Amino acid sequence: MKALFIGGTGTISTAIVKRLAEELGWEVWLLNRGNRKEVVPEGVHQITADINDEEDVKAKLDGMFFDVVSEFIGFTVEQVERDYRLFKDKCNQYIYISSASAYNKPAASYIITEGTTLANPHWEYSRNKIASEEFLMKKYREEGFPVTIVRPSHTYDERNVPLGVHGRKGFYQVIKRMQEGKPVIIQGDGSSLWTVTFNKDFAIGYTGLMGNRHAIGEAFQITGDECLTWDQIYQTIADALGVKLNAYHVASDYLAAVGDKYGYDFEGSLVGDKSVSVVFDNRKLKRAVPDMRTTVRFDQGVRIALDYVLSHPECQVEDPEFDEWCDKVIGALEWSKRNV
């Protein structure tokens, strides 16, 4: 079996490429700019190109055909329209990575299935994913374009620690605040339910859909089965660090309002996603992929991530602007407690 990944070196796709190449014996090709060659397994083929340069990509793919084309960096309708033109006669299956943030927030039920309404008025990113899904499914219905939609939720790897509230430079400043004994902001009251999935577990579900005729024309959400509150997520991180958690709960609406002034899009990432309780019903995926299972609990995965991050200085990206913003938010709320 032969697969082409558009991207292929990100948080999710790296684990999938590794599983295909090292465990399942697929012939794997990557189409990207070649910036992260160090994470590419031996034997994986590289096509160095910018997918946005359609004519160059078309020339480089001349005469090639793939069992599966996997799109990991398509965020707008224009990008999937381009993919349709490039791959409509070059693959037996096109798998599009959408997002579980596309589900309506809040949904009518906190139990999310693939049939849950797609609508997110809070986040343009999610609306673009919905529009991309609609274009691809229209091509499937009208022309038989062999699309499969995959909706990940919060997936992480050894280089990332999943959080609700962080700055533009990522998660590390929150880890640093924990280590320094500072209060860390948790959206809401910390009791909403969330699901975090280690990328190796995600790869089990994804690779099981590849070349699977039961996946054509269908959408699947891929997540682990472990549900945690946000307080439990942060407490697990603190436990792995061996520090006391000083949780500071702040309403998501408030964070969205005060964050917007500093360029933080908490309206999308919190109000439109992480502040709402969601529990994913994965029965559809498990019918199609009986091997799907959670093998890395969060308490295990976060230790893997922290061990890696704390031993690799390049992952320790400080964010003093976000650190100062957290202190301002907490200071303002403490002042209001004393004076209102």
Side-chain angles (χ1 to χ4, degrees):
M1 299 286 278
K2 184 177 179 180
L4 173 69
F5 284 76
I6 305 170
T9 58
T11 297
I12 297 177
S13 55
T14 297
I16 298 168
V17 168
K18 184 178 178 66
R19 177 173 167 81
L20 288 172
E22 297 181 356
E23 300 178 34
L24 301 180
W26 281 58
E27 179 183 340
V28 181
W29 291 73
L30 305 186
L31 194 160
N32 57 40
R33 296 177 181 178
N35 294 332
R36 294 195 66 208
K37 293 182 179 179
E38 72 279 2
V39 304
V40 178
E42 185 177 350
V44 171
H45 306 278
Q46 177 76 47
I47 301 171
T48 303
D50 180 351
I51 187 63
N52 296 305
D53 188 342
E54 187 173 340
E55 291 305 312
D56 180 56
V57 171
K58 183 178 180 180
K60 289 178 176 177
L61 294 176
D62 185 47
M64 302 184 75
F65 189 89
F66 302 93
D67 294 289
V68 180
V69 171
S70 296
E71 170 61 274
F72 278 84
I73 53 174
F75 302 103
T76 66
V77 174
E78 292 75 19
Q79 290 169 333
V80 295
E81 288 175 342
R82 172 208 62 210
D83 285 359
Y84 168 74
R85 291 190 297 269
L86 284 169
F87 299 112
K88 62 180 178 178
D89 299 316
K90 285 189 171 295
C91 67
N92 289 325
Q93 184 184 25
Y94 171 93
I95 304 182
Y96 176 65
I97 287 285
S98 183
S99 172
S101 70
Y103 291 122
N104 194 26
K105 300 295 187 306
S109 170
Y110 72 96
I111 299 175
I112 304 298
T113 73
E114 286 81 357
T116 297
T117 301
L118 302 181
N120 193 328
H122 303 285
W123 206 358
E124 183 180 12
Y125 164 81
S126 305
R127 294 193 296 274
N128 285 336
K129 288 290 190 179
I130 294 168
S132 298
E133 284 196 32
E134 290 174 344
F135 169 81
L136 292 167
M137 292 305 295
K138 184 174 186 291
K139 290 300 180 183
Y140 166 72
R141 290 190 297 268
E142 295 180 355
E143 302 175 20
F145 183 61
V147 63
T148 298
I149 305 294
V150 169
R151 299 179 188 135
S153 185
H154 203 154
T155 307
Y156 69 106
D157 65 2
E158 72 277 2
R159 299 171 62 91
N160 296 279
V161 178
L163 297 167
V165 182
H166 60 77
R168 281 180 288 272
K169 296 183 179 179
F171 66 89
Y172 180 70
Q173 193 64 44
V174 179
I175 301 303
K176 191 169 185 289
R177 287 182 70 89
M178 286 187 181
Q179 292 176 314
E180 294 173 349
K182 290 184 175 180
V184 294
I185 294 174
I186 302 175
Q187 73 276 11
D189 64 0
S191 67
S192 59
L193 294 169
W194 195 243
T195 299
V196 286
T197 307
F198 201 65
N199 68 343
K200 291 181 180 179
D201 288 343
F202 185 95
I204 297 172
Y206 188 96
T207 56
L209 294 175
M210 296 179 70
N212 187 334
R213 68 174 58 255
H214 300 292
I216 303 299
E218 296 288 342
F220 297 87
Q221 53 199 24
I222 302 180
T223 74
D225 292 321
E226 182 182 21
C227 291
L228 299 165
T229 67
W230 278 104
D231 273 355
Q232 289 173 328
I233 289 171
Y234 277 76
Q235 185 62 60
T236 302
I237 296 168
D239 290 345
L241 289 169
V243 301
K244 180 180 182 296
L245 174 64
N246 293 310
Y248 198 92
H249 297 106
V250 182
S252 296
D253 287 346
Y254 183 87
L255 289 171
V258 298
D260 186 62
K261 300 175 183 177
Y262 293 82
Y264 300 132
D265 182 18
F266 294 132
E267 170 73 18
S269 66
L270 295 184
V271 180
D273 198 28
K274 297 180 182 68
S275 67
V276 180
S277 280
V278 291
V279 176
F280 293 96
D281 181 343
N282 291 316
R283 286 177 293 181
K284 180 178 179 180
L285 175 67
K286 291 179 178 179
R287 286 194 297 270
V289 186
D291 291 339
M292 180 60 191
R293 63 195 182 281
T294 296
T295 67
V296 183
R297 297 191 315 266
F298 181 61
D299 62 292
Q300 299 168 327
V302 78
R303 289 180 184 276
I304 293 171
L306 287 171
D307 286 347
Y308 186 95
V309 168
L310 296 179
S311 62
H312 288 74
E314 70 273 15
C315 296
Q316 300 167 28
V317 181
E318 297 189 19
D319 191 345
E321 179 183 329
F322 176 72
D323 195 54
E324 181 181 354
W325 179 83
C326 290
D327 291 338
K328 285 183 178 179
V329 170
I330 294 168
L333 289 170
E334 287 301 302
W335 181 91
S336 70
K337 289 178 183 178
R338 295 190 301 269
N339 294 281
V340 175

